[in-house]
Amino acid sequence: MICFSPRHDLTLARMDLADVHRVVDAWAEEFSTLSSRPGIQSVQIFENRGAMMGCSNPHPHGQIWANETIPDQLARECASFSEYLQKHKSGLLEDYLAIESEKQERIVVANGDFVALVAVLGGLAV
């Protein structure tokens, strides 16, 4: 578990940019450390928020799971990415980003490192 802030009234989205940067740096460091361990096949980092998600702590925090096996959903996604690459000779996410960047319809924010956009899956915006 990683606590993002000692303040219980904050969420990650309401934290100062410098504090969020420290959280992302911690994620990157933990990902690098855990993924370099022998036998680790998958590292998943996520925010844990709200009673509906089983969160018992009100302060902003997240979890990191390191697994010796690749979760089924991730394995399916990796297989799909590989199939797309073989068929199109380019990466699916890079192609998707190029289309979204050209249309400029669903991009919320972008900078030199990240692009956040609204995706629609099964009629739901995510």
Side-chain angles (χ1 to χ4, degrees), residues 58-123:
H59 58 276
H61 69 283
Q63 293 182 14
I64 301 176
W65 291 349
N67 299 301
E68 292 180 349
T69 59
I70 299 175
D72 292 342
Q73 180 65 34
L74 180 57
R76 286 192 296 271
E77 289 178 14
C78 289
S80 293
F81 289 150
S82 292
E83 289 172 20
Y84 185 94
L85 180 62
Q86 292 297 317
K87 182 176 181 180
H88 299 280
K89 306 299 182 214
S90 59
L92 176 85
L93 294 179
E94 291 85 357
D95 289 353
Y96 176 60
L97 180 58
I99 291 167
E100 291 296 342
S101 295
E102 184 178 316
K103 289 184 175 185
Q104 290 291 313
E105 295 173 352
R106 299 189 291 190
I107 292 180
V108 177
V109 65
N111 63 30
D113 299 311
F114 293 95
V115 175
L117 58 92
V118 175
V120 179
L121 302 172

Side-chain angles (χ1 to χ4, degrees), residues 5-11 48-51 55-61:
S5 170
R7 288 187 48 196
H8 288 230
D9 61 328
L10 288 178
T11 63
N48 192 3
R49 181 171 50 149
C55 177
S56 59
N57 294 314
H59 58 276
H61 69 283

